[in-house]
Amino acid sequence: MLQNNILKSSFRILVILIFTLSCSNSEGITNENTDSSIVEKHGQLSIKGTNLVDKNGDVFVLRGMSLFWSQWGGDYYNEETIKWLRDDWKCTVIRVAMGIEGGGYLENSSLEFQKATTVIDACIKLGIYVIIDWHDHHAESHTNEAISFFNNISLKYGNVPNIIYELYNEPLAVSWNDVIKPYAQSVTNAIRTNDLDNIILVGTPNWSQDVEDVINNRINDNNLAYVFHFYSSTHTADLRNKAIKAINAGIPIFVSEWGLSEANGTGNINLAESEIWMNFLEQYNLSWCNWSVINKDESSAALLPTTSTLSGWNESQLSQSGTMIREYLIKENSSLFNQ
Ligand code: MG
């Protein structure tokens, strides 16, 4: 009888063991089959005509979030936040808005470099794209610093497909031909000594709105797109028409920053106009990042001021802008993660 019980127990343990092993095996196989990341699937990006295309030459649209200025929003410059933005928000790209003035990179270069590379490394690990943005309104006054920074970044990351270089966030009312273009050509040349193929983005006059100034006056580089920004509760058809004019003239455009708020980053949110802008982005296959991941008391901030955690946000912790953008990202990007 006792022997019989021991045999029965041994059999039970064996059954449980086989069941456990078979579960962990099938889980392992499932992971292998679905673990192909966004960057593994789409690889080296490039500019073809007015479009961004993937390694297969197919039109590819990046949609994601911009982080807030690194010197003021640095808490979110970590892998935990980036992973949440990939897994829950379905971001395929993250923009590192590395602040230059105002206590940013010019004063604290090693600290800000460290924050930027933490996010870049996280994006590489998580298999999504990352824009390293020289978040400056006077970059022409910091040309040497920009050249040195992008030389270091392109030496370190030029061999991976994840990285996109953004040389100048938003120039003010300065000349494209005389100020921005010479600056951007110098920084582009520095990057190209290390990295021949990753995409470069360049801001345009008047807070990256005057993209038509680039027509017939482009920077000498094959993999470069021009930056166009808008805030959908201030800007309307007049600004869309500037972008359409540039696109029709063959200028590739990248919306590295846009917000649902007014142009100052806060105020009203005009839902009807936001809808028109979102349709515009899709119609022209424009890649974009939304401004921004921060818990600040302004309407473009994705998180409510009371939200203190770095990830795992539920809907009651998101602002109106954060809620809308998350829904929009999930709607447009989810299929990219399921392919
Ligand atoms: Mg490269």
Side-chain angles (χ1 to χ4, degrees):
M1 197 61 191
L2 181 66
Q3 205 178 20
N4 209 5
N5 274 346
I6 288 170
L7 269 175
K8 271 186 187 166
S9 305
S10 306
F11 182 70
R12 258 193 225 120
I13 288 166
L14 189 67
V15 167
I16 288 166
L17 193 67
I18 289 169
F19 182 70
T20 310
L21 278 174
S22 73
C23 280
S24 59
N25 255 348
S26 66
E27 209 172 76
I29 289 163
T30 307
N31 277 343
E32 271 174 36
N33 286 342
T34 58
D35 207 23
S36 181
S37 73
I38 292 293
V39 171
E40 278 173 324
K41 282 183 273 197
H42 296 279
Q44 187 71 46
L45 306 177
S46 59
I47 302 294
K48 189 174 167 189
T50 57
N51 287 313
L52 188 152
V53 301
D54 70 7
K55 66 179 179 182
N56 303 313
D58 297 327
V59 173
F60 185 54
V61 179
L62 292 170
R63 305 178 190 89
M65 290 301 296
S66 177
L67 302 180
F68 195 72
W69 301 77
S70 59
Q71 73 270 49
W72 299 307
D75 287 354
Y76 300 95
Y77 282 60
N78 68 81
E79 187 181 328
E80 176 190 336
T81 300
I82 306 307
K83 187 172 188 308
W84 183 257
L85 289 169
R86 181 195 68 167
D87 294 343
D88 187 66
W89 289 50
K90 305 301 174 192
C91 289
T92 55
V93 62
I94 296 292
R95 180 180 188 236
V96 175
M98 191 183 74
I100 305 305
E101 298 181 310
Y105 180 80
L106 296 179
E107 283 175 46
N108 298 300
S109 54
S110 54
L111 176 65
E112 297 306 315
F113 188 87
Q114 176 68 40
K115 287 182 201 167
T117 54
T118 298
V119 177
I120 295 169
D121 290 339
C123 290
I124 292 169
K125 182 175 169 189
L126 295 166
I128 56 176
Y129 294 92
V130 56
I131 298 170
I132 174 64
D133 158 34
W134 187 263
H135 205 73
D136 196 354
H137 293 294
H138 307 97
E140 66 276 7
S141 304
H142 314 127
T143 305
N144 291 339
E145 293 87 348
I147 286 174
S148 166
F149 174 78
F150 283 105
N151 178 51
N152 289 335
I153 288 288
S154 56
L155 271 176
K156 193 169 163 68
Y157 297 109
N159 60 341
V160 296
N162 306 67
I163 199 143
I164 296 171
Y165 311 98
E166 184 175 7
L167 311 190
Y168 198 157
N169 168 47
E170 289 182 348
L172 304 182
V174 293
S175 160
W176 167 254
N177 188 65
D178 301 335
V179 178
I180 306 167
K181 189 183 173 192
Y183 158 84
Q185 189 70 65
S186 309
V187 184
T188 297
N189 294 346
I191 291 171
R192 291 301 182 225
T193 61
N194 304 320
D195 177 7
L196 289 173
D197 54 4
N198 285 47
I199 291 175
I200 293 174
L201 308 177
V202 177
T204 51
N206 285 312
W207 291 269
S208 289
Q209 295 177 49
D210 293 352
V211 277
E212 76 273 27
D213 288 6
V214 175
I215 297 171
N216 296 324
N217 198 6
R218 292 167 68 160
I219 290 163
N220 181 25
D221 192 85
N222 292 331
N223 257 336
L224 193 145
Y226 299 86
V227 168
F228 177 70
H229 289 176
F230 64 87
Y231 280 79
S232 58
S233 295
T234 296
H235 301 121
T236 58
D238 285 350
L239 190 56
R240 279 190 291 280
N241 288 338
K242 284 155 97 60
I244 292 167
K245 185 179 172 190
I247 294 166
N248 288 340
I251 304 299
I253 284 178
F254 195 112
V255 180
S256 62
E257 180 185 315
W258 72 281
L260 289 171
S261 67
E262 296 172 26
N264 61 1
T266 192
N268 183 42
I269 288 186
N270 179 337
L271 295 177
E273 196 65 35
S274 299
E275 189 91 358
I276 297 172
W277 276 108
M278 289 178 187
N279 290 336
F280 167 81
L281 291 169
E282 293 305 320
Q283 183 187 349
Y284 287 93
N285 289 323
L286 297 177
S287 291
W288 56 265
C289 289
N290 178 265
W291 183 263
S292 71
V293 180
I294 190 78
N295 61 345
K296 196 165 185 273
D297 187 17
E298 56 181 40
S299 59
S300 66
L303 306 171
L304 292 176
T306 48
T307 302
S308 57
T309 50
L310 299 177
S311 68
W313 312 304
N314 61 44
E315 289 190 17
S316 71
Q317 294 174 302
L318 304 180
S319 67
Q320 186 183 10
S321 174
T323 303
M324 282 189 66
I325 291 297
R326 176 175 170 273
E327 283 173 8
Y328 183 27
L329 284 165
I330 289 171
K331 176 172 153 255
E332 299 294 345
N333 278 354
S334 284
S335 62
L336 295 168
F337 287 89
N338 300 329
Q339 280 166 5

